[in-house]
Amino acid sequence: MSITTNNASSAPCRETTDYTNPIIHIDPSMCTGCRRCAGVCPVDAIEGQPGEPQTVNADRCVICGQCVQICSVYASDWADSSPWVADSRRQERLRERDMPADIGEPLFAAYYSCSLKKVTDMMAKPGQFRIVQCAPAIRVSIAEEFGMPFGTLTPGKMAAALRRLGFDRVYDTNFGADVTIMEEGTELIRRVTEGGPLPMFTSCCPAWVRFAEIEYPDLLDHLSSCKSPMQMLGSLVKTYGAQLDEVEPASIYSVAIMPCTCKQFECDRPEMESDGYRDVDEVLTTRELAYWIKESGIDFMDLPDEEFDSPLGRYSGAGSIFGVTGGVMEAAIRTGYELLTNEKLPKLQLDFVRGEEGVRVAEVQVGELQLKVAVVAGLQHAYGLLDRVQAGECDYHFIEVMGCPAGCISGGGQPKLMLEKHRIEAYRARKSSIYGHDAGLQVRKSHENPHIIKLYDEFLGEPLGHVSHHLLHTTFQKRGPGKQSRSCNVLSKEGTNNSIQ
Amino acid sequence: MSGARNTLNRPTSRMGAADRTSAVASSFVVADAGHCIGCKACELACFAVHSQANGIGASVGTVSVPVVPKVYVVRAGDTYVPVQCRHCENAPCAHACPVQAIRQENGVVMIDEELCIGCTSCVLACPFGAIEVSTVYREGRAMTQPGLTDRAAHKPLPRTAAGKCDLCADTNGGQPACVEACPNDVLRLAIVESDLLPERRREVFFPRL
């Protein structure tokens, strides 16, 4: 694949005021002030005295939703004076949160705004071409909402459920992940060969992008200019997809199912549109999709396995591992190695980027190049590394950062666990399920996905080309004066000279 | 939804509590009020392990019934404390029960939900406020009380029963769920030997006096 001269990197930065419509909330009438949410918040955005209701500082919050995951203070309906009072209080809370009136699950003090009603209202409007995409991490977790063991893999049932909910096309964010690898991999190769700002950071995780914009605005040109896989696929759906289906982009209603609470914020960013059309119109979390399936009376576990639609729903193993920490790095190396060396990668399973530590570093011999890479999982671990980049002491080439502790499988919109002791078990099961899915797929490298090859032949031309630049790349915004002083403890696993052979 | 799909991985026998308590006269969960942060993780854990009959798994999304635990986090001024059954040796609740639904098995005071008529006599008798009477749910649905009808609405009324801490009698012999779940190590299982001296016992009951 050739490298074009069109420079899509070094995105210009604009300064902006912050978002006015917060996504994460803490109900002051319920919060007991235990501050466990403050303990998991990577950016100290939760403020308040112990024993008093807490508030979320919307200017600092990166919307990762980890506070929503850990909150165990639920509405004690039994403590109300009568069942009638309890019920009306519950209905009031459900309305406040925009949640469906008939869901049975308990309501917790920390919650995120629910978009399900907006989506179901839009779905009911006639004359629309309804399209949905699902993130890699949903298929390994949604079954947990129906009582199945942790990590049960159900891509086929998920596609079937989405068809029954009324979508005309069921596409897959994994395809967007494959496109991301093509664009981001090419961008990395260009930066390494032409001396672009290094290290280059991934830009898939919206919480991480927001974190960089708030805490390290001076490092924004180190972020890849690529949109996230969700936005890339969203923009392809209304261009390439619209052409293939011969529908007007204006009539397309595009929904994304994400494990993440920050994706709604990303989708609402003003720059996330092409030719006047929003890339993605609305985002639902894993939990919201489960509410919808239950509300519609669909028996999820009895659904047959159905395929995703072609071509924007066909993915490689590399696309599917985006859901775990280290996945983007592994997928990028699988493609980057072959593009740079013109040789087959001898071993596809790259264990040196897999793991559970907050920071993992490794050196990979790619042809002549000694590629130095790092993987960060959990934003609290990013400070140390970014300080070193700021000081010019960080000689890595490529750094993957994911905001949540185990990557998207541990996202704020994923099934919420009742017992804290199950957390590690759940993350491990979801992760091994994702790796198992990758291992079982026939095509495991993004650049070998026949639908990706076709996309570039028929539509995009080449990675970082004019069309890609217009549709798939973006700019970032300065959102604050920069980092506030805080201590950083970096746990790192020093990988030593990992030769791929 | 069948119970077999649950991921809480619990055995079906009721051997746990009997095994654990066979060597002691009585035991109960005691809380260190000074360190409780009021997070209610104990309540949620208690509910999770006692709701197998309603098909509740590990995820909050599997819950379709109101959360009614058997331990209650109570606030008094700036202090939170979880309150639950003390498994009294001469249990006042058992004395008050008109249908003998409350009995003592190896030091654990148990309520037989099937026998209970929901009369709340035990609630009034309990000196600790550790018993709650609530609607009985099975398979995620409220049970109704045969013969008890709301005349105006022509609807059968729900069946209610008393519930309280059973020291996780149905779990596999480990620590009670609340003790395991507490992030601040506020709760512990106090094992009271039958030959314990009165002074020592007093200390266990009232650690702050």
Side-chain angles (χ1 to χ4, degrees), chain B residues 3 25-26 37 46 57 62 64 97-98 103 109 119 163 172 200:
Chain B
S26 77
I37 53 174
C46 174
T62 59
S64 58
C97 181
R103 66 197 188 281
V109 176
C119 70
N172 50 13
R200 295 265 319 272

Side-chain angles (χ1 to χ4, degrees), chain A residues 32 72 74 76 145 147 294 416, chain B residues 5 38-40 43 59-61:
Chain A
T32 61
S72 52
Y74 67 96
S76 303
E145 292 286 70
K294 287 173 194 164
K416 179 177 162 76
Chain B
R5 281 179 178 170
C39 71
K40 304 217 270 189
E43 289 191 13
S59 147
V60 163

